[in-house]
Amino acid sequence: MSFLSKITDFFEYLAKRHRLLPWVFAYVALIPLPFILSALFNEYLIDLVNRICLFILLAVGLNIVKGFCGQVTVGHIGLYAIGAVTSAVLSLEPGGFGGALGFGWPIWLSIPSAVLVTACAGLIIGLPSVRLEGAYLALATLGLGESVRIFIAVTPALGSSTGLMMIPAPSIGSYTFDSFTSYYYLVMTAALVGIYFSFSILQSATGRAFQAIREDTIAASVNGINIIKYKLLAFVLSAIYAGLAGALFAHMPPGYLHHNNFTVIEMVTLLLMVVLGGIGNVWGGVIGAIVVAIAYDQTKDLVFYFMDRPIVIQPLVFGLSMVLLVMYMPRGIGGWIEDFQRNRRFIRKSEERASGSTRNT
Amino acid sequence: MALLEILNLSKSFGGLQAINNVSLSVKENTVHGLIGPNGSGKSTFFNLITGVYQPDKGSLIEFNKVDITDKPAHFIAAQGLARTFQLLRLYGELSVLENVMVGYHPHTKYGLLAPLFMGSEVRRQDKLVKAEMIELLEFIGLAEHAEIPAAELSGGQRRLLALGRAIAMRPKMLLLDEPGAGLSPVNVDNLMATIMTLKERYNLTIIVVEHILKVVMSTCETISVLDHGQKISEGNPDFVKNDPAVIEAYLGKEMADDDIRLAMNS
Ligand SMILES: Nc1ncnc2c1ncn2[C@@H]1O[C@H](COP(=O)(O)OP(=O)(O)O)[C@@H](O)[C@H]1O
Ligand SMILES: [Mg+2]
């Protein structure tokens, strides 16, 4: 705990010098990570870190609609799929493998277009939230999200069962982001900027309106908040995160995507990140994304043999963890973070009071 | 001049006529009392005015000369009509300061996407709002608890915060739904005193629902009485107190509540 306190102290010190200094520091500290990983372990770990960065983007985005605004959505992975497939199809050369569509757009155009398309899709996925709540909303969004995957799975123009191949890698001038290490800088930057913006939203009237809707929708409307507008905005913002994560996923080496990347299991994994992170807590969500992504990677090939028959237990483990988490740790890691912050505030206040009283006497 | 003008307001829930053809007019800068036995429709009346419920056809509500009959709650709030809830409905996980800042929402000057594109402007304005809200919290005596989640306040403090959140909206009119419910008589008196200072300070017109009649009798210029969704009496406290229809409505209920009987007799 005292180690955590030291780190927090340090970042608060940086923030006092300049608001952006902690972010710059974090960015600089993350620059050597691929070299450390490949020196100590292997290249493959960089790929894992890249995936974690995408999951952070997804989790932080999902946290806006679910954590800040309190709207249940189980369709987020569908938005991720839309972002991925849109950018892939727009950037692929025409006449590719197996009847896949291709428009040959430059990648720096295809990615923002994909984000835009996903934002519109987010608006559509958010529409049920105007009338539905809780389990009904979950069902509606699940239906929309899963139908996106099935649509991709049965449409040859979008890859269907073979998937989309040879999706080009982005480049700046003659530099191409086609290795794990180079791609790391893209996704790490996106993740960090995504976290930063999520805080900007949270600490504004917009973020307070989201939270008021979560805490008490009727009180929020009477306080002058246009509920429909803000609910839809939350869905669109989180869709922008998902769209960007999807597009970055499409162009990530090896430039291949398949509808299996967007199943309900992926959605459960994503929800697990947000739940473990603690609904509504940004850093909790980030830590949740890291922990769950690593757990996901480690248990992927976990196979038990029952009477000589292989049994893949990962989906069971993840489903069960979800239930246990909701039951026994409803506030998640974010709950610890909030307790930690509150203790610090409390200690600081009583210190101030103590020093004040000695001055007075 | 009437700030709030209500004509033939009705609302039925299925077969239950919760509000039945009620008309009411509230003059600017007055304190208007609304009383009636439990279940007589007082909270429903507030819910209809503030857009939480939609009135039945044929109703008309005009606030500050604007027709707000079928308008959504957030529109009505922006016209300068604020309220508290009988069950408070605070934002439990938000801090006390954040609760009142949400109250300030209708006056936010930056757009809802500004946090993404104009961060420094957002921070500059929020700083001003924060200072103003801290000042309000100091006035109602909650500044010390500004950083605490609202759910952790004591009962009396929660009632004050509900009031503060409504005042933060800078309203012209304030509807208070049993502001003193659950408080001891002394605390109710203190709360009413606070409400009266707030009224002077912010130039408010107030409608207050209370079932402790003594409180209403001593603070309101005009009192309207509801029973079974109908307005059965209206006038100054002395008139209402002695109106046989009112006594009948209250005493006919076989009141177990000594408080009310005492208040009626005093
Ligand atoms: N949303 C609702 N649905 C059905 N009945 C309601 C609803 N709200 C209020 N009522 C009914 O309307 C009547 C008046 O209730 P209310 O306005 O809460 O009374 P009061 O505030 O005067 O105690 C009660 O019979 C109550 O059950
Ligand atoms: Mg009531």
Side-chain angles (χ1 to χ4, degrees):
Chain A
M1 269 299 150
S2 78
F3 175 67
L4 258 179
S5 281
K6 288 238 165 63
I7 293 185
T8 320
D9 280 341
F10 176 64
F11 272 94
E12 277 176 5
Y13 166 78
L14 288 180
K16 243 175 229 150
R17 322 262 346 229
H18 190 281
R19 199 175 46 80
L20 289 176
L21 212 52
W23 297 94
V24 174
F25 178 86
Y27 191 84
V28 171
L30 283 169
I31 286 178
L33 188 64
F35 303 104
I36 297 171
L37 286 177
S38 56
L40 290 182
F41 306 99
N42 53 47
E43 282 276 307
Y44 168 73
L45 269 190
I46 303 172
D47 185 39
L48 175 61
V49 168
N50 291 350
R51 282 163 202 281
I52 289 176
C53 288
L54 295 182
F55 267 121
I56 287 176
L57 265 182
L58 279 171
V60 168
L62 181 58
N63 201 30
I64 292 175
V65 71
K66 191 169 165 51
F68 296 179
C69 199
Q71 302 304 298
V72 186
T73 169
V74 197
H76 208 60
I77 214 78
L79 295 172
Y80 181 55
I82 290 173
V85 170
T86 308
S87 194
V89 163
L90 287 179
S91 63
L92 277 170
E93 288 305 324
F97 292 101
L101 264 179
F103 290 89
W105 288 17
I107 289 176
W108 299 119
L109 198 62
S110 79
I111 292 180
S113 310
V115 171
L116 203 69
V117 169
T118 317
C120 298
L123 192 68
I124 293 168
I125 284 210
L127 281 177
S129 76
V130 172
R131 297 196 154 266
L132 302 179
E133 272 182 4
Y136 297 101
L137 182 55
L139 275 178
T141 53
L142 175 67
L144 280 169
E146 181 65 3
S147 66
V148 168
R149 188 190 66 80
I150 295 172
F151 181 66
I152 296 167
V154 298
T155 310
L158 303 178
S160 67
S161 57
T162 49
L164 292 168
M165 280 168 272
M166 316 250 310
I167 303 164
S171 55
I172 297 175
S174 60
Y175 185 82
T176 310
F177 295 87
D178 56 358
S179 69
F180 290 152
T181 303
S182 58
Y183 214 79
Y184 164 79
Y185 294 104
L186 272 186
V187 289
M188 184 269 280
T189 308
L192 214 56
V193 171
I195 297 170
Y196 174 80
F197 275 125
S198 143
F199 274 110
S200 305
I201 295 164
L202 185 64
Q203 292 157 356
S204 71
T206 307
R208 286 190 292 274
F210 287 158
Q211 295 176 88
I213 291 173
R214 177 193 71 201
E215 295 290 301
D216 193 318
T217 309
I218 289 180
S221 68
V222 165
N223 277 150
I225 292 163
N226 185 338
I227 305 294
I228 296 177
K229 193 163 96 179
Y230 277 89
K231 273 186 183 173
L232 291 179
L233 177 67
F235 273 95
V236 169
L237 286 173
S238 83
I240 289 174
Y241 278 79
L244 180 63
L248 287 173
F249 174 64
H251 301 285
M252 188 160 80
Y256 170 72
L257 61 85
H258 189 271
H259 66 85
N260 272 351
N261 296 116
F262 314 117
T263 62
V264 177
I265 300 294
E266 261 68 28
M267 188 63 222
V268 171
T269 309
L270 184 54
L271 282 174
L272 200 56
M273 293 170 177
V274 178
V275 173
L276 176 69
I279 305 286
N281 189 294
V282 180
W283 287 123
V286 171
I287 296 170
I290 296 170
V291 171
V292 175
I294 292 172
Y296 183 84
D297 187 69
Q298 292 299 309
T299 57
K300 204 166 45 189
D301 307 319
L302 209 58
V303 176
F304 272 84
Y305 286 91
F306 179 73
M307 297 172 74
D308 287 338
R309 277 141 183 100
I311 296 171
V312 182
I313 59 159
Q314 192 196 36
L316 292 178
V317 171
F318 272 63
L320 199 63
S321 327
M322 180 81 131
V323 174
L324 290 175
L325 264 177
V326 172
M327 283 174 68
Y328 295 107
M329 218 179 120
R331 292 174 65 216
I333 297 171
W336 295 343
I337 297 178
E338 276 151 25
D339 289 346
F340 172 72
Q341 286 169 335
R342 185 167 323 160
N343 278 342
R344 279 171 61 81
R345 254 203 318 269
F346 183 74
I347 291 169
R348 191 169 320 146
K349 243 196 186 137
S350 44
E351 272 170 1
E352 273 168 19
R353 212 166 285 159
S355 67
S357 66
T358 47
R359 228 178 297 136
N360 289 341
T361 48
Chain B
M1 191 195 75
L3 182 59
L4 181 70
E5 192 74 66
I6 294 170
L7 277 177
N8 305 330
L9 184 63
S10 293
K11 177 71 181 178
S12 58
F13 295 109
L16 178 84
Q17 192 75 32
I19 292 292
N20 194 353
N21 223 20
V22 173
S23 297
L24 190 89
S25 171
V26 180
K27 283 204 204 66
E28 212 164 339
N29 263 315
T30 57
V31 182
H32 193 113
L34 186 62
I35 64 174
N38 259 335
S40 57
K42 305 179 298 290
S43 295
T44 303
F45 191 69
F46 276 7
N47 284 334
L48 290 168
I49 300 174
T50 52
V52 175
Y53 293 159
Q54 296 303 307
D56 289 345
K57 278 213 169 60
S59 311
L60 178 71
I61 310 173
E62 249 184 33
F63 177 69
N64 206 16
K65 304 219 163 63
V66 179
D67 180 356
I68 57 166
T69 318
D70 294 310
K71 295 291 192 295
H74 63 89
F75 174 87
I76 296 170
Q79 303 303 306
L81 192 60
R83 69 171 291 185
T84 63
F85 293 90
Q86 193 171 350
L87 298 174
L88 303 186
R89 290 181 175 274
L90 296 175
Y91 307 124
E93 280 194 32
L94 300 192
S95 73
V96 168
L97 177 61
E98 284 167 332
N99 267 272
V100 285
M101 286 180 84
V102 173
Y104 188 83
H105 183 90
H107 304 286
T108 307
K109 284 182 196 70
Y110 52 82
L112 68 186
L113 283 179
L116 298 180
F117 304 113
M118 302 190 298
S120 61
E121 181 59 16
V122 167
R123 278 186 299 280
R124 195 183 64 78
Q125 291 191 19
D126 269 12
K127 220 168 150 183
L128 296 177
V129 176
K130 234 173 230 174
E132 201 177 322
M133 293 300 114
I134 292 275
E135 202 225 342
L136 170 64
L137 288 178
E138 271 164 5
F139 192 75
I140 59 175
L142 286 178
E144 218 188 305
H145 310 292
E147 303 293 334
I148 296 180
E152 289 175 22
L153 294 178
S154 74
Q157 291 168 337
R158 288 160 54 78
R159 304 229 144 239
L160 280 174
L161 178 56
L163 191 60
R165 188 178 65 182
I167 296 284
M169 293 170 71
R170 292 287 132 90
K172 293 188 186 66
M173 177 175 247
L174 187 56
L175 311 184
L176 301 170
D177 197 349
E178 306 207 12
L183 296 183
S184 69
V186 179
N187 285 333
V188 174
D189 287 344
N190 288 341
L191 187 71
M192 288 316 291
T194 308
I195 289 171
M196 287 307 133
T197 18
L198 286 170
K199 172 185 183 282
E200 293 310 316
R201 193 175 200 231
Y202 295 109
N203 236 338
L204 298 169
T205 308
I206 294 179
I207 306 183
V208 58
V209 163
E210 222 354 306
H211 70 228
I212 305 178
L213 300 187
K214 203 171 69 183
V215 173
V216 194
M217 296 292 169
S218 59
T219 45
C220 301
E221 282 108 312
T222 316
I223 295 173
S224 305
V225 188
L226 283 184
D227 188 31
H228 291 111
Q230 278 175 311
K231 191 167 87 176
I232 56 166
S233 178
E234 186 170 79
N236 62 32
D238 266 331
F239 172 79
V240 167
K241 197 156 56 177
N242 300 311
D243 186 344
V246 178
I247 297 171
E248 152 97 37
Y250 267 89
L251 298 183
K253 291 259 164 192
E254 277 183 61
M255 285 181 314
D257 196 349
D258 286 334
D259 216 24
I260 296 180
R261 199 176 327 211
L262 276 177
M264 289 300 294
N265 295 337
S266 68

